[in-house]
Amino acid sequence: MRPTEDTYRHKGLRKKLVQGIHAKGITDDRVLDAVLEVPRHFFLDSAFDEKAYEDRAFPIGEGQTISQPYTVAYQSQLLEIKPFDKVLEIGTGSAYQAVVLAEMGVQVYTIERQKKLFESNKQFPFLKKYNSIKFFYGDGYEGLPTYAPFDKIIITAAAPEIPQKLIEQLKPGGMMVIPLGAGDLQQMLRITKLENGSLKEEMFDHFSFVPMLGGKSHES
Ligand code: SAH
């Protein structure tokens, strides 16, 4: 069962969480405001009620996880979000990252390859208020050519290599944030497509993500 009540207690825990990620180096106010706004416990089973505000990843079924709030904030900050940006997310999972981005005033296109997770988001009433998020079931390696190009692309699973089709779907001047690496740890990479089409690559900290897998999973 998902909780539906956002109490003062939850809001207080969220405030502490935001202070924690600020202390760890997240300074973009729009990111901090969004984390403060979004009731993370709604995205988890009610058994996680208060735990939802610990800065940790948690299981969401199908062997997948809701990302750690610090990681969500870190990737969001690297994207240098501007209002009305068109953002493609690979790996919807719990939809928490998508909602954080939507709270920052952008248009989100998000893809999930696990049928069960995709279907469960369709049954999640809280998401109904976010008209600016469009959900897709598919293989993120293919991106969404019909809706391309995007201002920003965020990959929320560990990519063993840079998906070339996603680079093609990035606008000139656009940015992609991607946890790169096949092992237990990935390095956060930001790729900027310059106006002349060439790519600038910047490396950041190490994180641990679940793997980005090819194809779709049909089990439901
Ligand atoms: N952004 C999510 C993080 C979920 S974990 C959140 O906020 O909760 C990463 C997700 O990426 C998993 O749900 C996994 O199924 C999905 N994934 C892995 N490879 C994928 C691919 N090729 N295309 C789309 N989704 C993928």
Side-chain angles (χ1 to χ4, degrees):
M1 275 290 285
R2 289 184 189 272
T4 49
E5 230 192 321
D6 190 25
T7 64
Y8 282 109
R9 171 103 186 115
H10 293 118
K11 290 186 171 87
L13 290 169
R14 223 148 52 230
K15 205 165 180 174
K16 277 206 194 120
L17 173 67
V18 168
Q19 286 164 351
I21 61 178
H22 182 244
K24 287 187 196 170
I26 306 300
T27 51
D28 183 331
D29 279 333
R30 246 172 318 125
V31 174
L32 295 170
D33 288 348
V35 175
L36 189 60
E37 201 58 44
V38 182
R40 188 174 187 246
H41 64 292
F42 283 9
F43 295 76
L44 290 160
D45 187 89
S46 53
F48 289 91
D49 190 59
E50 296 206 353
K51 279 183 103 59
Y53 295 103
E54 291 175 15
D55 193 11
R56 288 171 51 190
F58 289 110
I60 54 169
E62 310 312 298
Q64 306 305 325
T65 55
I66 180 172
S67 298
Q68 184 181 342
Y70 172 66
T71 308
V72 169
Y74 192 96
Q75 287 194 285
S76 304
Q77 175 162 285
L78 283 182
L79 284 174
E80 297 186 357
I81 293 297
K82 293 185 200 70
F84 310 115
D85 270 354
K86 195 171 147 191
V87 183
L88 173 65
E89 180 194 25
I90 311 302
T92 314
S94 68
Y96 177 69
Q97 170 78 72
V99 167
V100 166
L101 290 169
E103 279 293 340
M104 294 171 71
V106 307
Q107 182 75 40
V108 185
Y109 296 77
T110 183
I111 312 178
E112 175 55 57
R113 68 177 288 282
Q114 289 273 0
K115 185 94 190 241
K116 223 168 173 173
L117 294 177
F118 172 76
E119 296 293 341
S120 123
N121 283 330
K122 281 208 266 182
Q123 313 296 325
F124 183 6
F126 177 72
L127 297 179
K128 299 272 183 284
K129 73 175 210 183
Y130 291 96
N131 295 322
S132 55
I133 308 178
K134 291 191 170 51
F135 295 88
F136 298 84
Y137 167 54
D139 177 6
Y141 278 103
E142 301 297 322
L144 289 173
T146 330
Y147 296 90
F150 298 94
D151 297 293
K152 308 283 161 67
I153 299 179
I154 173 172
I155 302 185
T156 69
E161 66 214 58
I162 299 168
Q164 284 311 312
K165 287 184 181 166
L166 299 185
I167 296 280
E168 287 162 22
Q169 294 174 31
L170 204 52
K171 272 187 201 170
M175 285 176 173
M176 174 156 97
V177 172
I178 162 171
L180 190 65
D184 287 347
L185 276 186
Q186 297 82 46
Q187 189 161 16
M188 201 63 79
L189 173 67
R190 180 168 66 186
I191 302 172
T192 306
K193 192 188 249 186
L194 303 175
E195 296 295 338
N196 66 11
S198 67
L199 303 178
K200 178 173 108 179
E201 295 191 1
E202 298 163 279
M203 296 296 232
F204 297 90
D205 295 338
H206 288 86
F207 292 87
S208 183
F209 284 78
V210 296
M212 180 169 175
L213 303 171
K216 288 191 277 192
S217 155
H218 300 274
E219 293 157 50
S220 63

